[in-house]
Amino acid sequence: MSARGHAFGIDIGGSGVKGAAVDLATGELVHERIKIPTPHPSTPQAVADAVAKLVREAAWDGPVGITLPSVVLDGVARTAANIDKAWIGTDARALFSDALDGRPVTVLNDADAAGLAEDRYGAAKNFAGLVLLLTFGTGIGSALIYHGTLVPNTELGHLEIGGMEIEHRAAASIKDRDELTYPQWAAQVSTVLVGLENLFWPKIIVAGGGISRDADQWIPLLTNRTPVLPAHLRNTAGIVGAAMAIEAGLVT
Ligand code: BGC
């Protein structure tokens, strides 16, 4: 199966490998997303086998876009956050393509994919100008998009603000680890956002990651200047952005 106007995206995270065909006219999934638990250890070959299984299950025979929680340059993973360190230096594009009978594959950073999807179909779709997307999860992922064009691999989660990497200050996992209330955590997020907006001056900031589901509990508490909007696509943003990337032939 592979239909006109549809593209297939897969989002690889610490807990699940999730994928579906996407209708690129609407940004909606064509069928319910398929989820396979991320293998442990999440070595490149084990994850590639899970990807091949998922694509077989979907009976998809076309090209595939795939995200990794990594810096990805020319298909090669250069970092590995929340997946096995063996990914560093792995030619992920070649690995996945081999696992999928040599078909074309595009690989990109997970937050970059989410940013592309929110920019075209989601929270940022009606905004002209610079959009900054941040995903709050185990770490903080970032995507910078200007009029539909992505600046790939920004890795702002590792930027130091106030002497601390921002993902160590304000990832959703920090809220859990330190048992912070929403007001306490929102104060940390505000510090991070003020630092970022003073450097990048985005028109809007889109907040993604699982914690964006509770946006009404913390976004109103933020004290930074730039409007912050909760992500719309929630747990499909990575899949949709990966599908956009393969359609566009994106190379980062
Ligand atoms: C990684 C990024 C990734 C983000 C979200 C960060 O720790 O460095 O590459 O996008 O986590 O998964």
Side-chain angles (χ1 to χ4, degrees):
M1 185 182 82
S2 71
R4 251 184 118 73
H6 293 177
F8 203 90
I10 297 182
D11 192 22
I12 296 174
S15 62
V17 177
K18 295 149 277 182
V22 177
D23 180 344
L24 292 170
T26 60
E28 277 161 19
L29 305 193
V30 175
H31 54 85
E32 205 169 318
R33 71 183 187 144
I34 300 170
K35 180 171 176 179
I36 295 180
T38 303
H40 287 289
S42 50
T43 55
Q45 193 56 54
V47 173
D49 291 344
V51 162
K53 182 167 171 230
L54 192 156
V55 171
R56 259 198 318 275
E57 211 170 295
W60 178 265
D61 56 16
V64 177
I66 303 175
T67 77
L68 280 176
S70 309
V71 169
V72 182
L73 284 180
D74 268 326
V76 177
R78 304 294 290 270
T79 63
N82 311 316
I83 47 166
D84 199 90
K85 297 297 172 230
W87 279 96
I88 298 171
T90 296
D91 187 337
R93 183 170 55 204
L95 175 77
F96 290 131
S97 181
D98 281 353
L100 296 168
D101 314 314
R103 74 182 85 183
V105 166
T106 285
V107 186
L108 76 163
N109 171 264
D110 55 357
D112 281 349
L116 286 172
E118 289 293 338
D119 184 64
R120 189 188 293 173
Y121 305 107
K125 82 169 178 227
N126 295 320
F127 285 85
L130 186 67
V131 173
L132 170 62
L133 169 122
L134 297 172
T135 59
F136 295 89
T138 310
I140 292 181
S142 64
L144 266 184
I145 294 138
Y146 185 60
H147 292 278
T149 301
L150 170 74
V151 179
N153 295 312
T154 45
E155 291 294 312
L156 298 181
H158 303 293
L159 186 73
E160 282 188 23
I161 292 181
M164 198 191 270
E165 281 193 28
I166 69 169
E167 75 173 25
H168 295 156
R169 185 186 281 283
S173 60
I174 301 296
K175 178 177 182 301
D176 296 340
R177 189 196 68 189
D178 296 348
E179 298 178 2
L180 302 180
T181 62
Y182 273 114
Q184 288 168 330
W185 183 68
Q188 296 299 319
V189 176
S190 294
T191 301
V192 161
L193 298 186
V194 169
L196 291 174
E197 66 194 1
N198 285 345
L199 292 174
F200 295 101
W201 290 83
K203 281 271 186 65
I204 58 159
I205 297 171
V206 179
I211 201 158
S212 66
R213 258 176 242 131
D214 299 332
D216 54 338
Q217 294 194 56
W218 59 275
I219 287 186
L221 307 178
L222 298 173
T223 54
N224 68 299
R225 173 182 66 234
T226 313
V228 180
L229 303 177
H232 285 185
L233 290 138
R234 306 284 159 84
N235 58 10
T236 67
I239 295 173
V240 173
M244 288 170 68
I246 184 69
E247 169 75 7
L250 186 83
V251 178
T252 59

